[in-house]
Amino acid sequence: MEPFTPKTSISDAGRKVFHVRGLTKVYGMGQAEVHALAGVDLDLHAGELVVLLGPSGSGKTTLLNNLGGLDVPTAGELRYRDFDLTCANETDLTRYRRDSVGFIFQFYNLIPSLTARENVALITEVARDPMPPEDALNMVNLGARLDHFPAQLSGGEQQRVAIARAIAKRPEVLLCDEPTGALDVRTGIVVLEALERANRDLGTLTVVITHNAVMAEMADRVIHLSDGRVLSEHRNAKRAAPSTLNW
Amino acid sequence: MLPNLDRKLLRDLNRMKGQAVAVSLVMACGLAMLIMARSLIHSLESTRQEYYEAQRFAEAFAHLKRAPNSLAARVAEIPGVATAQAGVAVMVTLDLDGLDEPATGQVRSLPDFGQPELNRLFLRTGSWLSPGSRGEVLVSEAFAEANNLHPGDKLAMLLNGRRKEFRVTGIVLSPEIIFEARPGASLPDNRTYGTFWMPYKEIATAFDLYGAFNYLTLTLAPGAELRPVLAEVDRLLQPYGGRGAYGRADHPSHIRVSDEIRILQTLSIGFPAVFLSVAAFMVNAVLSRLLTLQREQIAILKAFGFTNRQIVFHYLKFAFVMVIGGAVVGAVGGVALGNKLVVMYHLFFRFPDLSFRLDRSALVMALAVGAGAAMVGVFSAVRRAAKLPPAEAMRPEPPANFRPALIERTGIGHLFSHSFRIAVRNLERRPAQALFTVAGLALATGILIIPNSFRDSVTELLGFQWDVVQRQDMNLGLVEPASIQVRDLLRQLPGVIAAEPFRGAAARIRFGHRSRQIGIIGTPADTQHSRVIDGKYREIVLPPEGLVVSTKLAEVLDVKVGDELTVEFLEGRRALRTVPLVGVCEDLTGIAAHMDLRALNRLLGEGDVINGASFTLDMAHRAEFLHALKKIPRVSWVGIKESLRENFRQTTAASINLIQSIYLVFAIVVAFGVVYNNARISLAERSRELATLRVIGFSEREVGAVLITELTILALIALPIGLLLGTGFAKGIVSAVNTETVRLPVIFTLHNYAFATMVVTVASAISALVVLRRLKELNLVSALKAPE
Ligand SMILES: Nc1ncnc2c1ncn2[C@@H]1O[C@H](COP(=O)(O)OP(=O)(O)OP(=O)(O)O)[C@@H](O)[C@H]1O
Ligand SMILES: [Mg+2]
């Protein structure tokens, strides 16, 4: 595929990556109409680590899916740099996801028939400026488990492979939907460390959805969603290291 | 009201209707084949049996030169003989308006008054001969149709050299000529050969046989054995020029129908078995998938107190819906195909009424076999589910275990792309599913090979027989052996380029306890017409002494070159000689024994005589030549190569085309069905994986490639196996028809293989594309959600 956008570098830090205004997403019609997003205004900047909080059903996942180009909004503005996500076609969206976005899911979603290394290599082979799969796996401390299949890895290890897979292409955005939701505390911290490190070393804009308010301490910025709107947001003076988080 | 569990069944079925239909259709193919073949066997066997009984078809037959009628009474007294019927059967030349080539026929006698005891005729149209009539004739239906003869038409024959006109009173069928061909010929030519019936008095008088007979048929008393009766008949007829009695098993018409039944029997077992096992697996695959999806539902049902038995029964019902669907389509299809094929038999076989008769037991068998196949399919899948403790079933299935595929462990793994890796590892993890998809595709490929191979074999046979062996344009037989000088007379006929004489002599060849009755053909040693060819298509020059026989005859007699054969001539002075076997030759129809003309005449001890000749003609003078022939009274029969060939080509082409279109439909259904089933299951089981690939940036096309790679690998494995399988099928069927009448060479052409490969590839590709269209509906967001 054609290169999509120029890559960011750490020197871009602070530049606006997402421009979100009046973002609305309506599911269903008539009686069954659900306003998952009801006018979200938001700017996200390069290099930031953002934590999204909110009660169940508040629209966090919906927002993330719209940012990631998995879903198109019903109304409002949604731009990734100069790329208008509201009216992009399928091919452009695919290219956008391939080149610019790294996804991390609650249930890891590795390809079960590929080893850790191959799961990562799958992406690096088609990415524009990837790092070697081994380096990505080293970053998440899995250098010793390169040739293991997902079924041979623990949940935390699988999630770290998923992070390696997401960061190996040096994406500009890392979108994580409850990345520790299926993990215990200790494992969760190891995963968060991997995420934090990727954000720090690569300068990747990282958005993390969580139900765990404690995790907000590791963020640059915390955004609260409620009923499809931004309820509040605040900036942490200092990011706490994941290992110091107290569940 | 519908029980709730059944309502669930209907909804599940509706969701999986594509796959349920695919399973039913593959099953229907197997069942249709089974029902069609069994019913055709039933139709042919029962129709023939009823026909034989109604018309009192004889059980033993004997031709002889001439014996007084009183001898018939002695034959009737042989222990074990129920009825003996003596009559006259003679070869005549016909003179038909509108037919430029000479036609010949066999005239048989009917009692002057009343019905014959045996081999009664069936009157199709017109009327019987009027009692004591003269100048009237009954005509066989095949000949009448080919020559557009109707009751009331006139027909001229040369009876013993005298031309006489007859009025056709009726068109008839006889149990003796269900398959009608000139004696010794393996291919029918109804235009130039027919059978006719006249009152004994008229035909016997014309041939100076009044008060005598030359053809004897008889039936056996209940429980009597055939062999001793034949031996006794031979002993009695021997002084009267008996040519050896034979039973139904050697009766040319009877053999042909039996051969056909045998082919059908092969078909009725082999194919349905493979089709049904593929269908059984598809049932299994569909249900396994359903059960995986419904683990929780099953757990809940069990938690609510449904018993294992109820749950197994519930899913069995699911399978039975598919079986019943398959059985209904299969039965309708089988009956429709059977009806079409029965019409095809009318080209070769003449029965008063050969209509399709459904073999009801086949229907029951089909249902039972289909249900059995489904049960096998359901059983393993359902048992797994039933064994689940409710609590365990509530949890999602553990992640699948994978390992590097065998082929990667050879050390060339790094050469493979990721989609190839995903594909082979998935295939290795589900070997049974892969195996049956391969089996289905291979079967589809294999059955396509058969009709084309048959067509190619027939073309080869015709080419061999009529281009390599028979270089002449025409053969001619004389009524009686004549001096070799006749040859010079024949050479002077208009348009003749070359004429070669031949002498045919009926004989029984014996080696050890094996024997065959056959016509020995004597030709000039270096004959250029009826050539004697070896296995490598080289011409054999006949040695001045000894016999050269066809490979098949050598096999039947179990002789090899150098052995001494006993030859008992069944005509003339009935000499008994010992002759060495000096060579074997290749021929594809009939069994033949060749000899140098002079050597043969020496053995016969009748001087230098011939009883026929072959010609190459200047086609520009063909009409004049044929016209001149019609005026030679001593000519008994004529065989023209081109018309035989054309006739045969048309009838076989029609039937092969029909069979080919049937197989084509089956192959397409199976290829489409198995690929559809496989792809739908992969798509369903791996929707999460595929959606993930889409989310992380792979295009629809790239994700489709993962599934396509898998199917391509399966197809690449299946196609060569299918070609081999088809080769085996075709060889099997061809060897089933490898009889003493016809031996089809086994021919496989590149074109044949290419066609089968193409059809299966295209059907599979279209099927895969139909399924892949569903990738568009893949819900990307669902990949982010919890696994179901
Ligand atoms: N495909 C859909 N069709 C209809 N409604 C939907 C769909 N997806 C989400 N919704 C609704 O939109 C609202 C927001 O859902 P969303 O998944 O974004 O919530 P969330 O904040 O991620 O919740 P949770 O914390 O439980 O994951 C919910 O009311 C949900 O029911
Ligand atoms: Mg959510």
Side-chain angles (χ1 to χ4, degrees):
Chain A
M1 281 195 194
E2 288 297 302
F4 177 64
T5 48
K7 283 295 223 183
T8 49
S9 66
I10 295 180
S11 61
D12 289 330
R15 213 184 131 184
K16 187 152 103 179
V17 177
F18 281 107
H19 168 86
V20 183
R21 289 293 178 276
L23 191 70
T24 306
K25 176 72 190 180
V26 183
Y27 288 113
M29 283 160 89
Q31 290 283 314
E33 218 172 68
V34 179
H35 286 257
L37 296 176
V40 172
D41 296 329
L42 203 60
D43 285 325
L44 298 171
H45 303 280
E48 270 189 310
L49 198 162
V50 178
V51 165
L52 268 183
L53 291 172
S56 185
S58 57
K60 303 182 294 297
T61 299
T62 308
L63 177 60
L64 206 76
N65 289 347
N66 280 291
L67 293 178
L70 295 179
D71 218 344
V72 278
T74 316
E77 295 174 35
L78 173 58
R79 276 206 307 278
Y80 166 80
R81 295 181 174 268
D82 298 329
F83 175 48
D84 189 350
L85 281 163
T86 56
C87 55
N89 63 23
E90 192 48 47
T91 316
D92 288 339
L93 285 176
T94 301
R95 199 185 297 166
Y96 164 64
R97 290 197 300 267
R98 169 180 292 197
D99 292 336
S100 307
V101 188
F103 280 97
I104 292 163
F105 313 89
Q106 183 177 359
F107 297 97
Y108 335 128
N109 289 14
L110 298 177
I111 307 301
S113 51
L114 296 180
T115 61
R117 190 209 308 260
E118 289 163 351
N119 260 286
V120 178
L122 187 66
I123 303 297
T124 57
E125 274 174 14
V126 295
R128 261 185 303 153
D129 174 30
M131 61 179 85
E134 294 77 9
D135 290 1
L137 285 161
N138 275 325
M139 276 186 78
V140 296
N141 292 326
L142 276 177
R145 310 294 298 271
L146 295 176
D147 294 319
H148 290 208
F149 283 92
Q152 300 166 317
L153 298 170
S154 74
E157 286 162 347
Q158 288 186 54
Q159 191 62 301
R160 281 186 282 151
V161 174
I163 293 173
R165 178 175 69 180
I167 61 176
K169 63 181 172 191
R170 304 179 205 274
E172 191 157 16
V173 192
L174 208 51
L175 301 175
C176 322
D177 194 348
E178 302 185 42
T180 60
L183 302 171
D184 63 50
V185 177
R186 287 169 61 92
T187 323
I189 286 172
V190 177
V191 166
L192 289 179
E193 277 176 334
L195 270 181
E196 203 268 342
R197 188 166 163 206
N199 169 262
R200 198 158 24 85
D201 294 359
L202 303 172
T204 316
L205 162 61
T206 307
V207 183
V208 183
I209 293 178
T210 181
H211 277 284
N212 191 336
V214 178
M215 270 169 59
E217 290 172 29
M218 65 177 277
D220 292 310
R221 201 151 52 111
V222 183
I223 295 169
H224 279 267
L225 282 189
S226 178
D227 286 333
R229 288 196 183 82
V230 177
L231 186 68
S232 69
E233 64 167 277
H234 74 272
R235 204 168 272 280
N236 286 330
K238 185 169 173 289
R239 276 163 51 163
S243 57
T244 65
L245 295 181
N246 225 329
W247 251 264
Chain B
M1 208 191 90
L2 208 57
N4 275 317
L5 210 50
D6 285 346
R7 201 169 307 155
K8 163 175 158 358
L9 177 86
L10 285 181
R11 295 213 179 114
D12 289 342
L13 269 175
N14 191 42
R15 270 205 306 151
M16 304 184 97
K17 55 180 177 285
Q19 278 168 278
V21 167
V23 172
S24 292
L25 282 182
V26 172
M27 191 167 274
C29 285
L31 297 181
M33 202 100 166
L34 180 74
I35 292 169
M36 175 200 86
R38 302 260 12 136
S39 296
L40 284 176
I41 293 171
H42 174 65
S43 305
L44 280 176
E45 266 178 349
S46 65
T47 306
R48 180 171 75 173
Q49 192 51 37
E50 286 163 19
Y51 188 28
Y52 282 178
E53 271 164 25
Q55 309 306 124
R56 307 204 59 202
F57 183 51
E59 286 164 278
F61 313 82
H63 289 272
L64 58 150
K65 191 144 180 91
R66 175 199 176 106
N69 278 341
S70 57
L71 189 73
R74 281 177 58 201
V75 172
E77 275 157 24
I78 295 173
V81 172
T83 315
Q85 174 175 294
V88 167
V90 289
M91 295 296 289
V92 297
T93 303
L94 309 173
D95 186 1
L96 288 170
D97 299 332
L99 191 66
D100 58 357
E101 54 208 86
T104 56
Q106 193 170 116
V107 178
R108 301 209 163 163
S109 63
L110 285 174
D112 293 330
F113 299 94
Q115 282 260 37
E117 279 289 322
L118 304 179
N119 305 326
R120 292 181 176 171
L121 303 177
F122 175 90
L123 185 66
R124 178 72 85 196
T125 51
S127 56
W128 297 112
L129 305 174
S130 29
S133 73
R134 290 187 72 88
E136 288 184 354
V137 70
L138 296 171
V139 181
S140 65
E141 186 185 52
F143 180 84
E145 265 178 23
N147 289 290
N148 201 19
L149 279 177
H150 301 283
D153 288 350
K154 292 270 191 285
L155 174 70
M157 291 184 190
L158 293 172
L159 295 188
N160 209 7
R162 277 190 300 275
R163 188 174 188 283
K164 190 158 189 261
E165 223 168 64
F166 292 88
R167 196 176 69 84
V168 176
T169 66
I171 310 297
V172 295
L173 298 169
S174 159
E176 285 212 80
I177 50 165
I178 293 172
F179 175 84
E180 185 176 13
R182 178 174 289 126
S186 43
L187 311 172
D189 180 9
N190 298 130
R191 243 159 29 93
T192 62
Y193 178 79
T195 311
F196 308 88
W197 289 264
M198 288 179 200
Y200 173 79
K201 189 169 181 188
E202 177 145 31
I203 188 70
T205 314
F207 281 84
D208 299 326
L209 284 167
Y210 196 71
F213 67 95
N214 69 357
Y215 181 50
L216 181 76
T217 56
L218 47 90
T219 49
L220 300 179
E225 270 213 54
L226 179 66
R227 275 178 162 276
V229 170
L230 291 183
E232 193 52 27
V233 170
D234 278 349
R235 204 185 56 79
L236 276 180
L237 295 188
Q238 211 256 335
Y240 302 96
R243 298 214 191 136
Y246 53 92
R248 282 183 184 176
D250 292 311
H251 188 279
S253 160
H254 184 88
I255 291 178
R256 294 302 283 252
V257 183
S258 302
D259 279 353
E260 187 57 39
I261 291 173
R262 212 174 53 213
I263 295 172
L264 286 170
Q265 275 162 346
T266 330
L267 282 183
S268 73
I269 299 165
F271 287 117
V274 190
F275 275 108
L276 291 174
S277 36
V278 170
F281 179 77
M282 287 170 73
V283 171
N284 181 296
V286 169
L287 277 169
S288 295
R289 180 185 150 226
L290 186 69
L291 291 170
T292 313
L293 292 179
Q294 302 196 345
R295 272 167 75 90
E296 287 161 52
Q297 295 186 31
I298 293 169
I300 292 164
L301 289 178
K302 286 175 88 169
F304 285 175
F306 281 89
T307 61
N308 274 349
R309 183 197 297 261
Q310 283 172 307
I311 289 169
V312 169
F313 186 66
H314 172 67
Y315 288 100
L316 264 181
K317 271 201 264 180
F318 193 99
F320 283 152
V321 173
M322 295 189 251
V323 171
I324 289 168
V328 169
V329 177
V332 171
V335 170
L337 293 180
N339 272 309
K340 283 206 139 193
L341 281 166
V342 148
V343 174
M344 189 181 91
Y345 285 133
H346 288 296
L347 289 174
F348 303 101
F349 299 139
R350 298 281 169 171
F351 288 99
D353 178 23
L354 177 63
S355 51
F356 181 79
R357 294 182 183 181
L358 179 65
D359 183 352
R360 274 173 233 276
S361 68
L363 211 56
V364 175
M365 195 196 308
L367 252 176
V369 170
M375 298 256 273
V376 170
V378 168
F379 194 66
S380 57
V382 170
R383 209 181 42 169
R384 229 171 349 117
K387 277 206 315 221
L388 277 177
E392 169 145 345
M394 289 290 213
R395 283 199 292 274
E397 247 189 324
N401 264 309
F402 281 92
R403 52 179 197 159
L406 201 61
I407 185 166
E408 295 177 82
R409 281 173 258 149
T410 56
I412 52 167
H414 59 280
L415 298 175
F416 300 141
S417 72
H418 289 295
S419 47
F420 187 78
R421 254 174 235 174
I422 295 177
V424 289
R425 289 175 191 172
N426 269 298
L427 292 178
E428 266 201 39
R429 199 173 71 85
R430 287 286 180 85
Q433 184 170 327
L435 185 80
F436 278 89
T437 304
V438 166
L441 287 179
L443 179 73
T445 316
I447 60 173
L448 284 172
I449 299 290
I450 299 163
N452 271 327
S453 159
F454 219 74
R455 187 196 311 270
D456 293 338
S457 298
V458 169
T459 310
E460 172 75 11
L461 175 131
L462 299 187
F464 180 81
Q465 214 60 22
W466 284 324
D467 292 332
V468 178
V469 174
Q470 301 197 12
R471 289 280 178 81
Q472 68 272 43
D473 298 311
M474 212 202 78
N475 283 327
L476 164 161
L478 299 174
V479 178
E480 285 280 311
S483 153
I484 192 142
Q485 264 81 53
V486 180
R487 178 187 54 190
D488 302 326
L489 194 94
L490 294 172
R491 274 200 182 125
Q492 282 153 26
L493 288 170
V496 171
I497 296 171
E500 272 187 15
F502 64 77
R503 167 80 163 107
R508 189 190 293 278
I509 300 185
R510 199 185 308 275
F511 184 72
H513 62 281
R514 297 163 187 247
S515 73
R516 273 295 178 280
Q517 197 180 312
I518 187 181
I520 298 177
I521 304 157
T523 51
D526 57 347
T527 172
Q528 288 305 306
H529 285 175
S530 296
R531 300 198 305 161
V532 186
I533 302 290
D534 73 4
K536 295 192 177 93
Y537 282 33
R538 283 176 313 213
E539 196 177 321
I540 296 175
V541 175
L542 292 170
E545 293 293 338
L547 274 170
V548 173
V549 303
S550 43
T551 318
K552 183 71 183 180
L553 182 57
E555 177 196 315
V556 168
L557 296 175
D558 194 19
V559 287
K560 54 186 186 308
V561 172
D563 287 340
E564 296 276 328
L565 304 174
T566 310
V567 176
E568 179 192 354
F569 288 102
L570 300 172
E571 53 180 77
R573 298 184 195 165
R574 308 185 66 85
L576 190 67
R577 314 276 187 197
T578 304
V579 186
L581 181 69
V582 294
V584 289
C585 63
E586 205 55 48
D587 55 11
L588 301 175
T589 60
I591 45 176
H594 302 270
M595 221 173 166
D596 178 71
L597 177 59
R598 275 168 302 183
L600 179 63
N601 274 329
R602 267 199 303 282
L603 289 183
L604 282 162
E606 293 173 355
D608 270 348
V609 294
I610 62 171
N611 61 359
S614 53
F615 299 88
T616 44
L617 297 175
D618 176 355
M619 280 304 157
H621 295 100
R622 189 184 122 122
E624 291 160 61
F625 174 83
L626 292 173
H627 191 72
L629 264 197
K630 279 189 173 184
K631 298 217 169 88
I632 304 180
R634 280 196 290 189
V635 171
S636 145
W637 57 268
V638 169
I640 297 176
K641 189 162 90 177
E642 274 323 306
S643 59
L644 265 174
R645 187 177 190 149
E646 184 52 26
N647 203 315
F648 187 74
R649 207 187 55 73
Q650 277 174 8
T651 46
T652 52
S655 51
I656 292 176
N657 284 346
L658 178 59
I659 290 172
Q660 185 170 34
S661 51
I662 293 173
Y663 283 18
L664 194 66
V665 170
F666 282 7
I668 289 173
V669 167
V670 171
F672 197 93
V674 296
V675 168
Y676 183 85
N677 192 54
N678 185 298
R680 279 296 299 271
I681 287 175
S682 299
L683 195 63
E685 284 180 348
R686 291 157 62 193
S687 61
R688 191 176 172 77
E689 174 181 336
L690 300 174
T692 304
L693 286 173
R694 288 283 283 121
V695 168
I696 63 180
F698 285 86
S699 65
E700 225 164 72
R701 187 186 289 258
E702 287 165 323
V703 171
V706 173
L707 291 185
I708 292 283
T709 306
E710 225 172 287
L711 290 171
T712 308
I713 294 171
L714 292 179
L716 286 179
I717 298 172
L719 286 170
I721 295 179
L723 297 180
L724 278 177
L725 199 68
T727 308
F729 284 156
K731 276 187 182 157
I733 292 180
V734 163
S735 69
V737 270
N738 184 339
T739 58
E740 288 177 36
T741 19
V742 192
R743 289 173 298 284
L744 281 176
V746 191
I747 299 292
F748 298 102
T749 58
L750 199 61
H751 172 264
N752 184 357
Y753 288 141
F755 178 74
T757 306
M758 189 203 70
V759 169
V760 172
T761 308
V762 169
S764 310
I766 291 175
S767 173
L769 290 179
V770 166
V771 177
L772 286 183
R773 286 219 328 238
R774 288 170 176 266
L775 273 179
K776 284 204 192 312
E777 294 150 28
L778 200 62
N779 188 353
L780 302 197
V781 176
S782 74
L784 304 162
K785 295 209 178 111
E788 280 167 39

